[in-house]
Amino acid sequence: MNQSSAIMEPAMPPDEPVLCELARQISPHAVLRRNEPLAKRTTLRVGGPADIYAEPASENDLACLLRFCTARNLRFFVLGRGSNLLVRDGGFRGMVISLAQPHFSRIEIVGDRLRCGAGARLKAVAIEAKRSGVGGFEFLEGIPGSVGGALRMNAGAMDGATFDRVESVRLMDFAGVAQDRPRLKLAVGYRSCPTLKTHIALGAVLHGHSDSREVIEQRMHEFSRRRWKSQPAAPSAGCIFKNPTTIPAGKLIEELGLKGTRIGGAVVSAEHGNFIVNDGTATAQDVLELIEAIKQRAISERGIELHTEVEIVGD
């Protein structure tokens, strides 16, 4: 899962002296690299490199990176744990920012509330909540993403959704200004939080309820059992399409007889029709062509227009 991106006209990446100047402006704990491969940073394991890859160590670092991109008309993209993401084979012309440093990955629990950084793993949130006897987060355990990405997409599973648990979100606009915003002042929809298309989530306060560790663990085990029974273990980006109003996308794809359909190394999963898996040889183009083939069949045979849930970025 991933966060906000600013898509502008492609610009030439800064040269080495300019990047050296940027490195002097951010803290010594921040990471800055050129031509970083992105396939290894996505759960689908495809995609080309980023011109610039950055890991800010603080909010000040992040603000500095955003101002740098704005000043040079440089595209940027905030990468989470790489699920629900398809990077094209040409890579990303611009800066990819990852909130993977400890400052953005903290999880603090006070009573039945969790204060989580945007870089915190959803699985870690569920486990820490269980340890503290806080229920309501069990559905997060099986989502391979981060808090920031889950907020941007209002990620959900097992009849639970991220914003069901949100009390407030700390966010930053693309000018580098941070603020805390209560849940009621955020527009939220199905698999979407429009506010986070123009802002970057830095973290959130989540609310749960007191429960026994045993009961919480039982629910987590049941959710895990249901997930592994119906979802593939092979590399994937998660669900490819949003569910239409009339039928779940996976059921539609199964009814169309498309399970097992292959283009190159990309294959419609035999376990779940709404997953495309990588057999180890897939390119991003293979996946894109398979997505288009599925969409064409759905519209031609059932009159249903499928919309991708997975985010597609790059050149």
Side-chain angles (χ1 to χ4, degrees):
M1 289 181 182
N2 317 283
Q3 288 201 56
S4 308
S5 60
I7 304 301
M8 302 173 283
E9 288 299 316
M12 291 294 291
D15 58 23
E16 200 66 39
V18 174
L19 284 181
C20 288
E21 176 60 29
L22 173 62
R24 286 192 288 270
Q25 296 174 25
I26 57 181
S27 70
H29 300 292
V31 173
L32 199 60
R33 290 199 288 267
R34 298 195 74 169
N35 298 318
E36 178 74 2
L38 295 179
K40 67 180 183 180
R41 297 185 178 277
T42 71
T43 58
L44 190 52
R45 300 290 186 262
V46 299
D51 286 340
I52 306 168
Y53 173 83
E55 290 183 7
S58 66
E59 289 186 12
N60 286 338
D61 282 347
L62 176 59
C64 183
L65 294 171
L66 294 174
R67 289 193 291 266
F68 176 86
C69 290
T70 299
R72 288 160 180 80
N73 195 33
L74 193 67
R75 296 188 299 176
F76 68 85
F77 175 74
V78 181
L79 175 69
R81 296 292 175 178
S83 59
N84 288 96
L85 176 67
L86 173 58
V87 179
R88 293 186 176 94
D89 294 316
F92 188 77
R93 305 282 72 76
M95 181 183 293
V96 170
I97 302 170
S98 174
L99 304 183
Q101 296 259 18
H103 175 83
F104 295 104
S105 301
R106 297 171 182 164
I107 302 171
E108 300 172 355
I109 302 179
V110 179
D112 61 359
R113 282 171 170 73
L114 283 67
R115 186 177 296 275
C116 304
R121 288 178 177 269
L122 297 176
K123 184 181 182 70
V125 172
I127 290 173
E128 289 302 315
K130 180 186 70 173
R131 286 175 179 165
S132 298
V134 181
F137 300 98
E138 297 85 354
F139 73 97
L140 294 176
E141 187 271 341
I143 302 176
S146 63
V147 168
L151 291 167
R152 184 174 186 243
M153 296 191 66
N154 192 20
M158 307 299 170
D159 300 319
T162 302
F163 270 91
D164 295 342
R165 293 294 162 195
V166 171
E167 187 171 286
S168 65
V169 175
R170 183 162 178 79
L171 42 78
M172 181 178 285
D173 65 22
F174 294 169
V177 179
Q179 63 173 289
D180 294 293
R181 193 172 297 186
R183 161 67 179 86
L184 293 178
K185 292 190 176 181
L186 293 166
V188 178
Y190 171 66
R191 299 295 180 263
S192 173
C193 176
T195 303
L196 294 178
K197 293 182 178 180
T198 56
H199 295 73
I200 296 169
L202 305 175
V205 176
L206 310 175
H207 63 84
H209 56 266
S210 180
D211 211 338
S212 74
R213 291 181 60 175
E214 292 75 16
V215 170
I216 294 171
E217 190 159 16
Q218 286 174 6
R219 281 197 292 265
M220 289 175 71
H221 280 315
E222 174 59 19
F223 288 167
S224 180
R225 184 193 67 79
R226 287 165 57 186
R227 183 177 68 257
W228 289 115
K229 182 179 179 181
S230 63
Q231 296 182 11
S236 78
C239 288
I240 292 292
F241 300 104
K242 296 178 181 179
N243 285 325
T245 56
T246 55
I247 184 174
K251 182 174 175 58
L252 170 64
I253 292 166
E254 181 176 2
E255 289 182 358
L256 290 171
L258 292 175
K259 279 188 172 182
T261 301
R262 170 188 294 272
I263 293 181
V267 188
V268 178
S269 168
E271 290 85 3
H272 194 305
N274 202 15
F275 282 67
I276 291 176
V277 299
N278 180 355
D279 73 356
T281 66
T283 64
Q285 187 60 33
D286 292 340
V287 179
L288 288 167
E289 290 180 11
L290 187 52
I291 287 172
E292 188 59 31
I294 294 168
K295 292 171 70 173
Q296 290 299 321
R297 282 284 295 276
I299 196 73
S300 65
E301 295 192 19
R302 301 288 287 272
I304 297 175
E305 186 175 1
L306 287 173
H307 299 279
T308 52
E309 179 176 317
V310 67
E311 186 165 7
I312 302 169
V313 301
D315 301 290

